[in-house]
Amino acid sequence: MRLPLPAAGSPWPELKARMLGLASGDVRWRDGKTAVYVFNAGPEVEQVQKEAYALFMSENGLGPAAFPSLKRMEEEVVGFGLSLLQAPEGAAGAITSGGTDSITMAVKAARDYARKAKKVAGPLNLVLPRSAHPAFDKACALMEIEVRRTPLVDYLADPAAMAAAADAATVMIAGSAPNFPYGLIDPIAALSDLALDRDLWLHVDACVGGYIAPFVRMNGVDLPPFDFELPGVRSMSADLHKYGYCAKGASTVFFRSAELQAFMVFDFRDWPGGRMVTPTLAGTRPGGAISAAWAVMNFLGVEGYRAKQALVTEARARIEAGVTALGFSVLGAPRLGIVAFTRPDVDCVALWSKLRERGWFTGVTTEPKSLHLMLSPIHAEVAQTYLADLAWALGAVGGAPGEEARYA
Ligand SMILES: Cc1ncc(COP(=O)(O)O)c(C=O)c1O
């Protein structure tokens, strides 16, 4: 649609009012009624994100020599991530624009490693469990790599099926910690053994879990090993703009060694503009995303994250108990912030639509049809309201609420 640019400019207060008017139709995420897309850690964190973003909004992470401030902040954020994910000495990483960027760059590094270090010629492939995020498929589409998705067992990656699918042209195998559709951590230890046995590049997609799982573990929950503690893990993605509660446009990609990370970097000089080295997919890198990440991480610290993540897991436990009382079954045994639950006698997609009438915007999982929530700290405050509204929606779409449902 073509739209003529206004001939004359408008005053900022007027534009601001118009923008806020446009937002009136958006989901009410500040009330906690959204459990997808937004990670709401409360107004204090939001203020830090905004002010820190604005401070470096015009600066460009593409120029570390011009902006040593951003270089320093990126190094520190990457350092925090590497230490939280138990990376060995010599590990390296970078801030990217998001999970898709991190995954794409990890695939690019693994692809170049296969070509240059392992001298693999001809068509390449990547082996994934069915639950892995489509960001891998996008990366493979860009790089003309065949994707081999293997079936799940109990909603988890099946290492035996992945072993059977991998061959000499496999550039990467991947598991999730956790996967998005079910919120479950794949058996990464078994994938690590497979990777070591067969000399395969194992990537752990911790886009969702990277900045929640370490703190949930510190809070006393027994989580399976999923990070660089496992020697077969060569790269990881972990999103700052998800459970790191940083401003959007920020993720991290990590490599077991600087030598492996070197396969990610694009270094080009055959044009008249001089040498151009880009560590990630982006050219210009928004300074605000880096500075906001640095500020939020330092604002929260370990104590702050532990407290926020405790609220997330508390909300999840209350919702699990409540939906079970309403006759749903939770898929698998989630330990972090995502939960999916189903009731075979009820159309969960119809329930999802009904809940929208009460202002809820959440997710759905399709195999099997389930309701899906990606919870934030705010949900500890609204879990009972959600359960009451779910009981109401259940009555409205035909499934009777279970005997013990007393939320309404
Ligand atoms: C497990 C997982 N990996 C990767 C991504 C992609 O992240 P982004 O949307 O930041 O590109 C997501 C997004 O939800 C995800 O859940």
Side-chain angles (χ1 to χ4, degrees), residues 343-355:
R343 228 182 94 161
D345 59 328
V346 177
D347 179 350
C348 286
V349 176
L351 264 187
W352 178 88
S353 305
K354 201 72 201 155
L355 283 161

Side-chain angles (χ1 to χ4, degrees), residues 218-285:
M218 285 178 213
N219 287 343
V221 178
D222 189 19
L223 294 183
F226 68 93
D227 60 17
F228 287 110
E229 173 193 5
L230 297 167
V233 177
R234 281 197 199 159
S235 58
M236 292 188 72
S237 43
D239 288 357
L240 296 159
H241 63 197
K242 293 193 171 78
Y243 284 104
Y245 305 119
C246 302
K248 290 220 173 9
S251 169
T252 38
V253 60
F254 300 120
F255 298 86
R256 178 166 286 280
S257 68
E259 291 71 37
L260 293 180
Q261 185 183 20
F263 289 97
M264 169 171 78
V265 177
F266 193 74
D267 186 349
F268 191 78
R269 61 184 85 198
D270 189 17
W271 75 313
R275 184 176 177 193
M276 180 103 174
V277 182
T278 46
T280 60
L281 194 58
T284 289
R285 303 171 76 212

Side-chain angles (χ1 to χ4, degrees), residues 98-100 103 133 178 180 205 207-208 239 241-242:
T100 303
I103 288 170
H133 195 273
F180 181 80
D205 178 14
C207 281
V208 168
D239 288 357
H241 63 197
K242 293 193 171 78

